[in-house]
Amino acid sequence: MPGRGRHRTDPEHVAEQARWTWRLARRQTDGVPVDADVTHPDSTPFAGRDYAGLTRMFPSPPRRWPARTGLALVLSTERDSRSDWLRSGQALERILLHAASHGVMAAFHTQPLEVPQLRAQMRRTLSAGEFPQMILRLGYPPCVRVLPRRPVAEVLTASDYRTS
């Protein structure tokens, strides 16, 4: 997939990712631990985020990619309005809930959609002219690691989820 290094060469993007990546020496409940994924970010057809800095140490991905990396999906909509974004989010929620009920995990690959030229290319080549909203892989991981989460009370107040 073209553009794998686009985010990695953007200083603002690199700085933002560094802010959201935390090292084991510092306890944190927001962000992603550096060792959350220790595989090379280019070891699947979709580039991953490089939390561990592996692309600096090993610019080329390993010759042997994992044999089974899950089923890749592109969730797309006919139009690209706010209501389409909402409906695609609702569809994603249903996909994830159904997958979870069967022990299937999801990996998100939104990076190409964050670059306008790559999103347009995906629209032309992968989604039959529809607007790609999400790229994800679904599959059964070899192991599962539980990551820390903040208590709901720390991130939401009653007014955040009160219906009117």
Side-chain angles (χ1 to χ4, degrees), residues 147-162:
L147 298 176
R149 300 283 188 239
R150 291 193 304 179
V152 172
E154 283 187 28
V155 294
L156 294 177
T157 63
S159 64
D160 290 328
Y161 51 89
R162 188 176 301 139

Side-chain angles (χ1 to χ4, degrees), residues 21-143:
T21 305
W22 52 275
R23 310 289 179 217
L24 294 178
R26 141 182 148 205
R27 285 189 58 84
Q28 186 170 338
T29 54
D30 279 341
V32 179
V34 69
D35 65 336
D37 186 0
V38 292
T39 58
H40 194 285
D42 295 334
S43 63
T44 67
F46 295 106
R49 298 199 194 278
D50 188 14
Y51 297 110
L54 292 174
T55 56
R56 286 188 306 277
M57 294 182 283
F58 307 101
S60 297
R63 291 180 192 258
R64 290 180 61 196
W65 288 10
R68 303 180 78 195
T69 59
L71 177 67
L73 306 168
V74 176
L75 179 62
S76 61
T77 56
E78 195 173 302
R79 289 175 295 286
D80 201 26
S81 68
R82 288 180 183 258
S83 61
D84 293 302
W85 302 342
L86 175 65
R87 282 193 293 281
S88 67
Q90 291 169 327
L92 177 62
E93 177 183 31
R94 289 180 181 196
I95 290 167
L96 295 175
L97 288 171
H98 184 76
S101 73
H102 293 282
V104 174
M105 298 284 184
F108 301 95
H109 297 281
T110 60
Q111 297 89 327
L113 302 181
E114 296 167 6
V115 178
Q117 299 88 342
L118 294 178
R119 185 172 186 240
Q121 180 182 357
M122 287 196 66
R123 181 177 180 212
R124 288 188 308 272
T125 60
L126 291 178
S127 59
E130 291 191 346
F131 293 88
Q133 303 296 344
M134 174 60 70
I135 304 168
L136 65 152
R137 283 182 298 127
L138 297 175
Y140 297 98
C143 62

